[in-house]
Amino acid sequence: MAALTPVSRTPVSFYVPVVGLFGALAGLFVGTAQGSTLGGIVLGAAIMALIALILTKALPSERAGRLALIGLGALAGYAMGGIAAGLIGLLFGWFFGWFTFWLFEGRYRAKLVPYLTPGQVLWHFTFRFICGAILVFLITPILVVMPLSFNAEAFFTFTPEMLRFDPAGYSLRHYRDFFTNSDWQSSLANSVRIAPVATLLSVSFGTLAAIGLSQPHVPFRRAIMAILISPMIVPLIISAAGMYFFYSRIGLQGTYIGVVLAHAALGIPFVIITVTATLVGFDSSLTRAAANMGANPVTTFFRVQMPLILPGVISGGLFAFITSFDEVVVVLFVGSAGQKTLPWQMFTGLREQISPTILAVATILVIISIALLTVVELLRRRSERLRGMSPS
Amino acid sequence: MSDSTHTGPMLAADGTTLKSSLNRALRRQKLRALMLIAPLLIFVLVTFIAPIADMLFRSVENQIVSDTLPRTTQMLGDWDADAADIPAPQVFEALYVDMFIATERKLHTRLGSRLNYELTGVSSLFRKSGRKVEDMGEVYQDQFEDLDKFWKKGANLNALFGAPDWQAAQAAWDTSDKKAQPKFKLRSGLETVLPQASEAFDVYARFTQGEDGKNLSKAKPWALIYSALYNDLVAQPAGLAALDAPGADELRAAAARVGDFDTVDFTAAFKKIDKDWVSQDVWRVIKTYSPRFTNGYFLNSIDMKKTADGPQMRAENEQLYIKLFIRTLFMSLVITGSCILLGYPVAWILANLPAKTANLLMILVLLPFWTSLLVRTSAWKVMLQQQGVINDTLVWLGLVADDSRLALINNQTGTIIAMTHILLPFMILPLFSVMKTIPPSYLRAAKSLGATNWTAFWRVYFPQSVPGIGAGSILVFILSIGYYITPEIVGGTTGTFISNRIAYHISSSLNWGLAAALGAILLAVVLGLYWAYDRIVGIDNVKLGG
């Protein structure tokens, strides 16, 4: 976006105190860690204010100043606490260099409308900061798991070796454990045996029903919809309890078929929702046209309707697959030791014998989720393109 | 429009009236739609709705007491639970019969553990009684056997009680190697002469052949049959003189002598096993739980107890479930609240940023949404531990002393943090889709009319985003109220939900009825919210992943 507001340099009385304030904040942490909170604040404020002044007034070019500051930060950090602290110092230097010139050159106003008061500008950036923090909260747990899974020790936290980026602190031993341990391998095999069959069941039944539901005159549509969606709404523990009681009555408890049926039931709402959503954009005159040209209903379905709603069907299937692949409560009750799935194994691992192999599995699963997410997003775009909508 | 030369109703091409032709087409269309839906509907009804219905049924079902102790519970009907005295001797005799049969069938421990939920100690009482009840009637057996050697042999009894054609079949089976034993049939007319003994023998024979799977010809008769026989003979039945069966003479000889037999006082015998049998508490519990259906599980799940005088609150220190329900509701509310607080700004910024940036940031919301629940829960377990990443960071920054690390896990804090994170996408996505539809020009218009930032937001923007908040809140609340996995792993003892208690009752304490009742209450709450959600948002409008 082009600049909305012409930028101009700000006075020293503005940017030096602000940079000083941030310096004080940084000094607070460094100072507390070194033993003197107050000293840290004062020193941090003074140093950063001075640096800001030097950067803007004494040095010839912005580039040189910022590079120098990055180097300085890295060196100071390294002197204080090794490679990890050096890296943090480097980021520190980069941030303060960028921040000083961002304020000094008035760039922060560039993308804002000109009539904003300084208070509104401050709020704008505070709000952005808050949102950023929440997004960090959302993503951190997933990001933390990944490096920890390469831990050379059987710990759940970063070891000093890892923080020093010592290669000895990292290893693939947890991945090796996952791929060689028979417990993990059999649970993986069970998951792979259960999820696709359950998905197939829910997709085939679900797609048919979704087509039925999107016809214009369906009696009891609301009631039927409520029943079909209910597996998603009823708390899993209640579904699990009910299925446990009922399936043990009819002899399905502890069997492969029982688990597959239970998982298929849980996946159905997702198929129904995604496929009906796709069918909303389906032009029913196409099927009439096909019939007009002599195609029978089955041919019409497979040659005309199916290719158009396929993206919805596939993404519904992916939802159903991940529901079954992730599911632990129902399989815990309906299954027996012979149907122990990957999530079940993780659950027992977390509850009883804590082993960092879980983190390796978690990382693998995160990568699988990223792949699935990408597929669903691509399908959504394709579906919108097919239906003549522009991808948003 | 209509054909003016044609009078009367309009006709379709095939000659029927247009109206009926249209109706038929509509009916066919409806039928076709239903046919497409039917397979799935049946599938869901069988695999999902039937189990839920079964669970609801279990929450009131109580057939085990009257099935295991049929005679006792029937006799107890006349007993006044409020009276100071214990039940009549006939009740104890019925108890002897029931207990004897239940012990043989190994059902007494199951009933004991069932009644133990209502009165502690009943389980061990039943187990103890089961061991001793077999010897209780042996006095009669010994006396019969002393009287005549005839009574010692099971085969003689089979000849006396069995129908002649069954005896022939059984004799033939004994020498063959066929699998199925011919089913025992009682000698006709015998049940009028020896009603109790016939019944006892019938039960014995069926059990031996069926559940026990043993050869009836070689089995040793129960002591119960002899005590029943004594009871029958003491009454000097009229038909005895005319009875024509193998052993009828021995029977008549015994009938002449039974008056001199030593008898057993069953009340005293049970008292000897355990004093509890002559206390009213045990009998009151048995009488209270005699009916085939009970509201006892539901009363238990709201901290009440079923007594002979009607429902009563439990003692203060036994109350558990109301507190647990309140805690579940409270924590779900806190989680919903923090999801609104954290989700609103993010949804706002996603809805107001340029599409390209927003899509990029959306990935940060969708990735946790798509990541396995177990992965996220384990991540929080790793981060929140005493030696975990958060505490380590805080210590490193100097905000927390090394010896006073924060207790973030195995308590309510842990559950709230982890579940807020897990459910946050469910708040952001509906909020985002609502906010996307609010034109940003409204805010600008409000501001140009002189509203401050806050007024413009609060009076113009916020009211339009309320449907999104409603949809997201109900979704998050419904999901959180029934959560099991996360509280189980990060909740410790104080951060658990009602679901954890349900799971405990299913898998550990095996009190399935109570688990079903707790589940039924939870289900009622969720269905109420589901109904509200349908009202506010509509089930059709549920969206997944943006």
Side-chain angles (χ1 to χ4, degrees):
Chain A
M1 197 157 46
L4 283 172
T5 314
V7 295
S8 57
R9 290 196 167 178
T10 50
V12 176
S13 61
F14 167 69
Y15 69 87
V16 169
V18 175
V19 175
L21 196 70
F22 274 74
L25 197 67
L28 170 75
F29 291 122
V30 178
T32 323
Q34 305 289 333
S36 159
T37 312
L38 196 68
I41 294 176
V42 174
L43 220 62
I47 292 175
M48 287 329 294
L50 195 68
I51 286 179
L53 212 59
I54 295 172
L55 279 180
T56 51
K57 295 293 174 200
L59 289 175
S61 85
E62 181 186 336
R63 227 178 114 80
R66 281 174 67 176
L67 275 177
L69 192 59
I70 291 173
L72 201 68
L75 274 178
Y78 186 74
M80 269 200 286
I83 292 184
L87 206 69
I88 292 174
L90 191 136
L91 287 174
F92 239 65
W94 171 83
F95 171 76
F96 274 103
W98 169 81
F99 188 63
T100 307
F101 283 99
W102 189 62
L103 290 175
F104 170 64
E105 300 282 358
R107 287 177 196 148
Y108 63 96
R109 292 288 313 227
K111 288 181 182 176
L112 299 178
V113 280
Y115 50 78
L116 290 186
T117 62
Q120 284 171 332
V121 174
L122 182 66
W123 168 244
H124 175 87
F125 288 110
T126 316
F127 185 75
R128 291 270 168 115
F129 178 75
I130 293 171
C131 291
I134 297 169
L135 288 172
V136 166
F137 167 73
L138 266 172
I139 208 75
T140 307
I142 298 173
L143 292 186
V144 163
V145 164
M146 295 190 176
L148 273 182
S149 69
F150 295 101
N151 199 338
E153 304 290 329
F155 294 146
F156 268 145
T157 189
F158 290 101
T159 55
E161 290 83 22
M162 297 185 83
L163 292 177
R164 270 192 269 114
F165 295 104
D166 183 350
Y170 294 86
S171 87
L172 290 172
R173 61 179 273 202
H174 304 310
Y175 290 87
R176 232 178 349 256
D177 186 35
F178 171 65
F179 284 110
T180 52
N181 188 322
S182 63
D183 277 354
W184 284 105
Q185 284 306 300
S186 74
S187 60
L188 177 67
N190 276 329
S191 279
V192 171
R193 274 173 59 219
I194 290 168
V197 182
T199 308
L200 197 69
L201 272 180
S202 26
V203 168
S204 45
F205 282 135
T207 308
L208 275 189
I211 291 171
L213 278 169
S214 27
Q215 312 261 323
H217 305 283
V218 183
F220 314 114
R221 189 168 191 282
R222 265 183 104 77
I224 291 174
M225 199 72 179
I227 289 176
L228 296 186
I229 303 285
S230 62
M232 195 173 78
I233 301 293
V234 172
L236 277 174
I237 188 74
I238 294 179
S239 317
M243 285 170 171
Y244 178 65
F245 295 149
F246 185 71
Y247 287 9
S248 39
R249 257 191 228 273
I250 58 175
L252 281 177
Q253 201 272 330
T255 64
Y256 169 73
I257 297 175
V259 177
V260 167
L261 289 182
H263 277 184
L266 294 180
I268 277 166
F270 298 99
V271 178
I272 293 281
I273 288 172
T274 44
V275 179
T276 38
T278 319
L279 281 167
V280 167
F282 182 75
D283 187 355
S284 61
S285 55
L286 289 176
T287 53
R288 282 204 293 273
N292 212 7
M293 291 167 159
N296 62 27
V298 177
T299 315
T300 314
F301 175 73
F302 281 109
R303 300 284 298 277
V304 178
Q305 197 164 16
M306 197 62 188
L308 283 169
I309 62 169
L310 197 61
V313 175
I314 294 179
S315 72
L318 284 177
F319 268 107
F321 181 82
I322 207 138
T323 307
S324 167
F325 202 75
D326 266 3
E327 210 288 323
V328 52
V329 187
V330 168
V331 75
L332 212 53
F333 286 95
V334 175
S336 62
Q339 286 86 42
K340 199 168 204 178
T341 58
L342 205 51
W344 185 352
Q345 178 71 27
M346 286 180 84
F347 181 65
T348 27
L350 280 175
R351 214 165 47 163
E352 285 143 25
Q353 23 101 16
I354 294 227
S355 125
T357 310
I358 290 170
L359 299 182
V361 182
T363 308
I364 296 173
L365 288 182
V366 168
I367 291 166
I368 295 177
S369 338
I370 293 175
L372 286 183
L373 176 63
T374 319
V375 172
V376 170
E377 182 61 21
L378 290 178
L379 284 173
R380 195 178 63 85
R381 293 197 178 168
R382 183 185 141 83
S383 162
E384 279 177 357
R385 208 170 52 239
L386 278 180
R387 280 151 51 183
M389 300 178 192
S390 61
S392 61
Chain B
M1 269 157 79
S2 66
D3 192 346
S4 55
T5 60
H6 197 97
T7 52
M10 271 209 289
L11 295 182
D14 59 352
T16 52
T17 58
L18 184 61
K19 197 172 168 194
S20 71
S21 177
L22 277 175
N23 273 341
R24 206 175 54 223
L26 191 65
R27 215 163 37 236
R28 212 180 304 136
Q29 212 173 21
K30 278 184 183 173
L31 205 67
R32 205 178 55 206
L34 282 183
M35 292 273 282
L36 285 169
I37 300 169
L40 181 70
L41 196 61
I42 293 167
F43 183 81
V44 171
L45 284 177
V46 171
T47 57
F48 188 77
I49 305 291
I52 302 283
D54 184 40
M55 189 199 73
L56 295 179
F57 174 68
R58 268 191 203 260
S59 65
V60 291
E61 179 206 32
N62 186 47
Q63 290 166 0
I64 182 169
V65 182
S66 50
D67 279 357
T68 318
L69 304 176
R71 299 166 190 83
T72 316
T73 48
Q74 203 185 354
M75 299 283 269
L76 264 184
D78 305 328
W79 178 61
D80 180 10
D82 292 332
D85 41 86
I86 54 167
Q90 292 93 316
V91 177
F92 280 95
E93 213 177 315
L95 178 69
Y96 162 68
V97 178
D98 285 337
M99 279 295 276
F100 193 100
I101 297 171
T103 310
E104 289 296 336
R105 300 171 72 186
K106 301 198 169 53
L107 293 176
H108 66 299
T109 47
R110 266 178 60 194
L111 179 64
S113 24
R114 161 68 187 94
L115 290 177
N116 202 54
Y117 303 138
E118 317 303 338
L119 183 69
T120 329
V122 179
S123 181
S124 64
L125 175 67
F126 270 58
R127 208 170 305 130
K128 201 155 57 169
S129 310
R131 280 200 301 272
K132 299 199 175 150
V133 85
E134 295 193 15
D135 311 334
M136 218 183 252
E138 271 184 356
V139 178
Y140 295 110
Q141 187 172 2
D142 293 345
Q143 294 182 96
F144 271 106
E145 288 174 358
D146 289 348
L147 198 64
D148 195 326
K149 283 220 169 68
F150 170 83
W151 298 110
K152 271 195 177 167
K153 288 188 73 177
N156 292 340
L157 289 185
N158 289 348
L160 170 60
F161 285 99
D165 53 338
W166 167 77
Q167 289 185 36
Q170 179 81 8
W173 177 81
D174 279 345
T175 53
S176 77
D177 52 353
K178 264 190 277 175
K179 270 273 156 61
Q181 207 173 151
K183 226 171 162 189
F184 174 77
K185 239 168 52 200
L186 201 64
R187 179 182 293 277
S188 62
L190 199 64
E191 66 266 25
T192 53
V193 185
L194 304 171
Q196 292 190 27
S198 305
E199 191 200 345
F201 196 87
D202 198 35
V203 173
Y204 152 74
R206 277 168 201 281
F207 171 78
T208 310
Q209 290 191 323
E211 290 161 59
D212 224 17
K214 289 197 178 130
N215 187 348
L216 187 56
S217 315
K218 291 176 185 153
K220 198 172 151 22
W222 292 348
L224 176 70
I225 298 165
Y226 295 96
S227 60
L229 199 57
Y230 167 78
N231 283 342
D232 286 336
L233 293 180
V234 150
Q236 296 295 341
L240 188 60
L243 187 70
D244 175 30
D249 293 334
E250 282 84 352
L251 206 56
R252 279 188 278 273
R257 297 281 303 277
V258 285
D260 309 330
F261 272 21
D262 293 334
T263 56
V264 176
D265 178 0
F266 286 108
T267 316
F270 274 107
K271 186 181 174 184
K272 217 178 117 196
I273 293 174
D274 198 309
K275 275 205 307 297
D276 280 350
W277 278 118
V278 289
S279 86
Q280 285 177 314
D281 292 346
V282 173
W283 286 105
R284 275 196 190 131
V285 165
I286 295 178
K287 186 179 163 80
T288 315
Y289 285 91
S290 299
R292 299 180 74 77
F293 294 98
T294 179
N295 57 0
Y297 291 121
F298 276 101
L299 291 175
N300 274 338
S301 59
I302 50 170
D303 286 335
M304 295 177 89
K305 92 184 138 187
K306 192 174 166 72
T307 65
D309 312 324
Q312 278 172 1
M313 278 316 275
R314 279 185 185 275
E316 198 74 26
N317 57 356
E318 286 177 13
Q319 295 192 3
L320 174 66
Y321 297 110
I322 290 186
K323 246 178 9 200
L324 201 54
F325 270 115
I326 290 175
R327 189 209 283 165
T328 305
L329 289 178
F330 170 75
M331 283 175 64
S332 301
L333 275 179
V334 172
I335 291 163
T336 312
S338 33
C339 278
I340 296 176
L341 221 60
L342 297 182
Y344 201 91
V346 173
W348 194 87
I349 207 148
L350 286 177
N352 287 287
L353 277 177
K356 223 171 177 165
T357 330
N359 272 345
L360 214 64
L361 291 182
M362 199 61 167
I363 292 175
L364 298 185
V365 178
L366 288 180
L367 186 60
F369 181 76
W370 273 91
T371 306
S372 164
L373 169 70
L374 259 303
V375 171
R376 287 182 280 167
T377 308
S378 30
W380 278 112
K381 179 143 188 161
V382 169
M383 305 218 337
L384 294 175
Q385 284 180 90
Q386 293 264 304
Q387 304 296 326
V389 176
I390 290 185
N391 263 317
D392 276 357
T393 313
L394 290 178
V395 168
W396 185 71
L397 286 177
L399 295 181
V400 169
D402 199 7
D403 50 358
S404 62
R405 286 168 175 255
L406 302 179
L408 295 171
I409 203 169
N410 295 336
N411 54 23
Q412 298 199 0
T413 324
T415 307
I416 289 173
I417 295 178
M419 284 186 56
T420 302
H421 173 259
I422 288 168
L423 296 175
L424 193 52
F426 290 95
M427 177 65 79
I428 294 178
L429 295 175
L431 263 177
F432 170 74
S433 61
V434 168
M435 285 177 175
K436 204 74 188 141
T437 62
I438 305 175
S441 54
Y442 286 11
L443 262 188
R444 286 206 293 274
K447 280 185 201 160
S448 77
L449 290 171
T452 61
N453 269 347
W454 172 249
T455 319
F457 167 74
W458 184 245
R459 302 276 301 274
V460 177
Y461 196 86
F462 184 75
Q464 297 184 79
S465 67
V466 164
I469 297 182
S473 305
I474 293 182
L475 198 60
V476 169
F477 193 78
I478 287 180
L479 288 173
S480 69
I481 204 174
Y483 239 63
Y484 167 65
I485 294 296
T486 310
E488 182 74 24
I489 288 176
V490 297
T493 48
T494 57
T496 49
F497 281 11
I498 197 76
S499 327
N500 303 84
R501 200 73 199 165
I502 296 177
Y504 164 77
H505 280 310
I506 296 175
S507 52
S508 299
S509 83
L510 303 181
N511 192 349
W512 289 6
L514 184 57
L518 290 171
I521 295 176
L522 182 60
L523 183 65
V525 174
V526 169
L527 287 185
L529 289 167
Y530 182 34
W531 177 81
Y533 186 85
D534 187 25
R535 269 307 166 89
I536 297 170
V537 193
I539 306 164
D540 296 0
N541 297 336
V542 181
K543 292 228 174 63
L544 294 168

